[in-house]
Amino acid sequence: MFMFYPSPPGPGPEGANWIPGPLEYPDIDYDAIFSQVRRLVKSVIGKERSGLGLAIGEFDPRIAAFWEVGGNYLVLNGALLRKLGETVKDRGELRDYVLVVLMHEYVHSLGFTDELATRKITEQIIRETMGDRSRAARISSQDLWSVYPQLMEPHPYMERLWS
Protein backbone atom coordinates (compact mmCIF):
# COMPACT_ATOMS: atom_id res chain seq x y z
CA MET A 1 0.00 0.00 0.00
CA PHE A 2 1.24 3.46 -0.86
CA MET A 3 1.80 5.80 2.02
CA PHE A 4 2.67 9.47 2.13
CA TYR A 5 4.65 10.34 5.20
CA PRO A 6 4.47 13.61 7.09
CA SER A 7 7.81 15.26 7.51
CA PRO A 8 9.42 13.82 10.63
CA PRO A 9 11.83 15.83 12.74
CA GLY A 10 14.83 14.99 10.60
CA PRO A 11 15.72 13.24 7.40
CA GLY A 12 14.36 9.91 6.29
CA PRO A 13 16.42 7.18 4.64
CA GLU A 14 19.64 8.41 3.05
CA GLY A 15 18.82 12.02 3.94
CA ALA A 16 15.38 12.09 2.28
CA ASN A 17 12.87 14.54 3.68
CA TRP A 18 9.40 13.01 3.49
CA ILE A 19 6.71 14.90 1.61
CA PRO A 20 3.20 15.06 3.08
CA GLY A 21 0.12 14.74 0.91
CA PRO A 22 -0.48 13.36 -2.57
CA LEU A 23 1.64 16.00 -4.31
CA GLU A 24 -0.44 17.83 -6.89
CA TYR A 25 -1.43 14.73 -8.88
CA PRO A 26 -4.47 13.01 -7.39
CA ASP A 27 -5.04 11.33 -10.76
CA ILE A 28 -1.81 9.32 -10.41
CA ASP A 29 -2.73 6.07 -8.66
CA TYR A 30 0.61 4.93 -7.27
CA ASP A 31 -0.87 1.75 -5.78
CA ALA A 32 -2.30 0.73 -9.15
CA ILE A 33 1.00 1.44 -10.90
CA PHE A 34 2.91 -0.56 -8.31
CA SER A 35 0.46 -3.47 -8.67
CA GLN A 36 1.01 -3.35 -12.41
CA VAL A 37 4.79 -3.34 -11.88
CA ARG A 38 4.55 -6.43 -9.69
CA ARG A 39 2.39 -8.28 -12.26
CA LEU A 40 4.63 -7.39 -15.19
CA VAL A 41 7.83 -8.37 -13.40
CA LYS A 42 6.40 -11.68 -12.22
CA SER A 43 5.05 -12.49 -15.69
CA VAL A 44 8.49 -12.10 -17.29
CA ILE A 45 11.06 -13.17 -14.71
CA GLY A 46 8.86 -15.20 -12.38
CA LYS A 47 9.96 -13.41 -9.22
CA GLU A 48 8.08 -11.28 -6.73
CA ARG A 49 8.60 -9.73 -3.34
CA SER A 50 6.00 -8.95 -0.73
CA GLY A 51 6.20 -6.52 2.15
CA LEU A 52 7.31 -3.49 0.16
CA GLY A 53 5.76 -0.07 0.58
CA LEU A 54 6.01 3.10 -1.47
CA ALA A 55 6.95 6.55 -0.27
CA ILE A 56 7.74 9.93 -1.76
CA GLY A 57 10.63 11.96 -0.43
CA GLU A 58 12.71 14.92 -1.46
CA PHE A 59 16.38 14.26 -2.02
CA ASP A 60 19.22 14.89 -4.45
CA PRO A 61 17.58 15.51 -7.85
CA ARG A 62 20.22 13.36 -9.54
CA ILE A 63 18.44 10.35 -7.98
CA ALA A 64 14.99 9.45 -9.36
CA ALA A 65 14.21 6.91 -6.64
CA PHE A 66 15.92 4.46 -4.34
CA TRP A 67 15.54 1.24 -2.44
CA GLU A 68 17.88 0.60 0.47
CA VAL A 69 19.33 -2.92 0.36
CA GLY A 70 17.26 -4.96 2.79
CA GLY A 71 14.73 -2.12 3.13
CA ASN A 72 10.98 -2.27 2.88
CA TYR A 73 10.30 0.94 0.94
CA LEU A 74 10.74 2.12 -2.61
CA VAL A 75 11.12 5.90 -2.41
CA LEU A 76 10.30 8.16 -5.35
CA ASN A 77 11.85 11.62 -5.60
CA GLY A 78 8.96 14.06 -5.19
CA ALA A 79 11.00 17.01 -6.47
CA LEU A 80 11.42 15.25 -9.81
CA LEU A 81 7.74 14.24 -9.91
CA ARG A 82 6.75 17.89 -9.44
CA LYS A 83 9.17 19.12 -12.08
CA LEU A 84 8.07 16.45 -14.56
CA GLY A 85 4.41 17.13 -13.80
CA GLU A 86 4.95 20.76 -14.79
CA THR A 87 6.64 19.93 -18.10
CA VAL A 88 5.05 16.81 -19.63
CA LYS A 89 2.06 17.13 -21.93
CA ASP A 90 -0.16 14.50 -20.35
CA ARG A 91 -0.57 12.49 -17.16
CA GLY A 92 -0.06 9.27 -19.12
CA GLU A 93 3.56 10.23 -19.59
CA LEU A 94 3.95 10.93 -15.89
CA ARG A 95 2.40 7.52 -15.14
CA ASP A 96 4.83 5.82 -17.55
CA TYR A 97 7.75 7.58 -15.86
CA VAL A 98 6.54 6.37 -12.45
CA LEU A 99 6.06 2.83 -13.81
CA VAL A 100 9.61 2.68 -15.21
CA VAL A 101 11.24 4.15 -12.11
CA LEU A 102 9.24 1.95 -9.73
CA MET A 103 9.95 -1.14 -11.81
CA HIS A 104 13.67 -0.40 -11.76
CA GLU A 105 13.69 -0.12 -7.96
CA TYR A 106 11.44 -3.16 -7.58
CA VAL A 107 13.86 -5.22 -9.69
CA HIS A 108 16.65 -4.04 -7.36
CA SER A 109 14.60 -5.29 -4.40
CA LEU A 110 14.48 -8.75 -6.00
CA GLY A 111 18.23 -9.06 -5.57
CA PHE A 112 19.55 -7.43 -8.73
CA THR A 113 22.02 -4.96 -7.26
CA ASP A 114 24.07 -4.25 -10.39
CA GLU A 115 22.79 -1.00 -11.89
CA LEU A 116 23.42 -1.85 -15.54
CA ALA A 117 21.88 -5.32 -15.20
CA THR A 118 18.84 -3.81 -13.48
CA ARG A 119 18.37 -1.30 -16.29
CA LYS A 120 18.54 -4.07 -18.90
CA ILE A 121 16.11 -6.31 -17.01
CA THR A 122 13.68 -3.41 -16.57
CA GLU A 123 13.83 -2.59 -20.27
CA GLN A 124 13.36 -6.28 -21.20
CA ILE A 125 10.27 -6.60 -18.99
CA ILE A 126 8.74 -3.44 -20.40
CA ARG A 127 9.44 -4.38 -24.03
CA GLU A 128 8.01 -7.90 -23.56
CA THR A 129 4.87 -6.72 -21.80
CA MET A 130 4.17 -3.26 -23.21
CA GLY A 131 5.80 -3.42 -26.63
CA ASP A 132 8.86 -1.97 -28.28
CA ARG A 133 7.04 1.16 -29.39
CA SER A 134 5.54 2.06 -26.02
CA ARG A 135 6.50 5.28 -24.28
CA ALA A 136 7.63 3.21 -21.29
CA ALA A 137 10.03 1.28 -23.58
CA ARG A 138 11.50 4.57 -24.80
CA ILE A 139 11.93 5.79 -21.22
CA SER A 140 13.48 2.53 -20.02
CA SER A 141 15.90 2.25 -22.94
CA GLN A 142 17.76 5.47 -22.11
CA ASP A 143 19.12 7.38 -19.18
CA LEU A 144 16.23 9.30 -17.57
CA TRP A 145 18.10 12.57 -17.89
CA SER A 146 18.52 12.01 -21.64
CA VAL A 147 14.77 11.49 -22.01
CA TYR A 148 13.89 14.31 -19.58
CA PRO A 149 16.74 16.85 -19.60
CA GLN A 150 14.41 19.35 -17.93
CA LEU A 151 14.80 17.37 -14.71
CA MET A 152 18.34 18.72 -14.39
CA GLU A 153 17.35 22.35 -14.90
CA PRO A 154 17.41 24.50 -11.76
CA HIS A 155 14.12 25.05 -10.00
CA PRO A 156 13.49 26.86 -6.69
CA TYR A 157 12.25 23.81 -4.76
CA MET A 158 15.12 21.69 -6.10
CA GLU A 159 17.97 24.14 -5.49
CA ARG A 160 17.97 23.50 -1.73
CA LEU A 161 18.41 19.78 -2.42
CA TRP A 162 21.68 20.25 -4.30
CA SER A 163 23.56 21.39 -1.25
Side-chain angles (χ1 to χ4, degrees):
M1 179 176 174
F2 183 75
M3 300 175 73
F4 291 99
Y5 288 89
S7 296
E14 296 186 12
N17 292 312
W18 301 109
I19 297 176
L23 294 173
E24 293 85 27
Y25 316 113
D27 56 335
I28 302 295
D29 186 341
Y30 297 95
D31 282 329
I33 295 169
F34 191 41
S35 292
Q36 181 181 12
V37 163
R38 288 174 185 261
R39 283 191 312 274
L40 296 177
V41 170
K42 186 175 182 183
S43 73
V44 174
I45 65 173
K47 292 185 175 192
E48 64 183 326
R49 177 167 175 204
S50 60
L52 286 178
L54 303 176
I56 294 179
E58 281 190 353
F59 39 92
D60 187 327
R62 293 169 289 194
I63 301 168
F66 68 86
W67 167 75
E68 287 186 78
V69 175
N72 292 323
Y73 286 94
L74 305 178
V75 185
L76 293 167
N77 191 332
L80 296 183
L81 290 172
R82 281 194 190 101
K83 179 73 172 180
L84 195 59
E86 292 172 1
T87 59
V88 296
K89 293 181 175 82
D90 64 69
R91 290 291 169 249
E93 187 161 1
L94 186 57
R95 283 188 291 275
D96 285 344
Y97 166 89
V98 171
L99 181 133
V100 170
V101 171
L102 278 179
M103 184 178 293
H104 178 92
E105 297 307 320
Y106 183 65
V107 169
H108 273 312
S109 78
L110 294 173
F112 298 93
T113 56
D114 180 78
E115 187 64 24
L116 185 56
T118 300
R119 285 183 183 194
K120 288 181 179 185
I121 292 166
T122 301
E123 181 183 359
Q124 172 195 351
I125 294 166
I126 288 172
R127 287 188 183 281
E128 287 186 26
T129 58
M130 301 179 81
D132 290 335
R133 294 179 174 237
S134 68
R135 184 172 32 212
R138 180 181 58 85
I139 295 168
S140 69
S141 69
Q142 303 174 52
D143 180 77
L144 281 177
W145 288 264
S146 297
V147 179
Y148 299 110
Q150 70 269 32
L151 294 179
M152 293 305 289
E153 295 171 4
H155 195 280
Y157 58 74
M158 292 171 72
E159 289 175 1
R160 65 185 166 79
L161 300 173
W162 283 98
S163 50

